[in-house]
Amino acid sequence: MAKAVRLDKFLADAGKGTRSEVKKFIQKGQVQVNGVPAKKPELKVDPDNDMVVLSGETVGAAPEFVYYLLNKPAGCVSATEDRNDRTVMEYVPSERKGLFPVGRLDKDTEGLLLITDDGMLAHELLAPGKHVDKTYFVRVEGRLTVENIEKLEKGVDIGEDKRTMPAKAEIVGGSWEGVGEPQPGRVRRENLPEVYTELLLTIHEGKFHQVKRMMAAVGTPVIYLKRVSMGPLTLPDDLKKGECRPLTAEEIMSLKQ
Ligand code: URA
């Protein structure tokens, strides 16, 4: 028999909202336990035997693991706790224990971050040698030449024993078209240097500050970094900075294949 848990915890763990959100559902009489409207968030329910209904919909028992996709904003750290900074966990709409970010994005990096309590899956995604492809949208200062793209693709020296593994780099924008000369008269966006390049860089490893170190190694320092995909997961266009949603069943399946 599953252990009895508080009703608000049960609902929050089932992904129905944060603890305070589900408490409001209970206060508003939207939750029934075994056909009776529940009045107290602390009511104990047995997930195996009690039937919990929220707004007419039966709520299943908490899944074994949960998976969230966060569009990480800059300014928070990829950790579960931190003394000085906000953490990515503040954006996760769950108080389930044991959740953690899979891998790290730097404090100033934005984009796709998987949050889960599935340690095995995290291990599969992060273990050396099993690292999945990660694609970053990178804006660098200066002009990235064809020669430097080739260097990035072959592997560059970032001060470790070995060069980086082969990567894929594709220029997608910049202060001029393609890799040609800067266009005279082109309007610059605010806060951008006169000459910059935007690229999609796909890497297979996860070394500390890897993208920044790779771009510095070819003389074009990173001024903006955002992860747009990790393995089969892609950052959805409609997931705004700071928004976090549960993975769909298809996304979970694709990660486990
Ligand atoms: N590479 C970096 O340099 N920073 C990140 O946050 C991710 C990859």
Side-chain angles (χ1 to χ4, degrees), residues 138-172:
V138 194
R139 188 176 296 130
V140 294
E141 189 168 347
R143 173 180 162 177
L144 188 64
T145 60
V146 173
E147 295 78 58
N148 282 342
I149 290 219
E150 282 170 4
K151 282 190 193 161
L152 291 168
E153 293 202 323
K154 281 196 188 132
V156 283
D157 181 359
I158 58 168
E160 306 239 335
D161 293 347
K162 288 185 184 161
R163 286 171 180 269
T164 54
M165 280 165 64
K168 172 103 193 63
E170 183 196 352
I171 291 181
V172 291

Side-chain angles (χ1 to χ4, degrees), residues 216-238:
V218 294
T220 47
V222 169
I223 50 177
Y224 174 76
L225 187 57
K226 173 179 171 180
R227 183 153 65 192
V228 293
S229 76
M230 177 172 171
L233 300 181
T234 303
L235 186 68
D237 290 337
D238 59 357

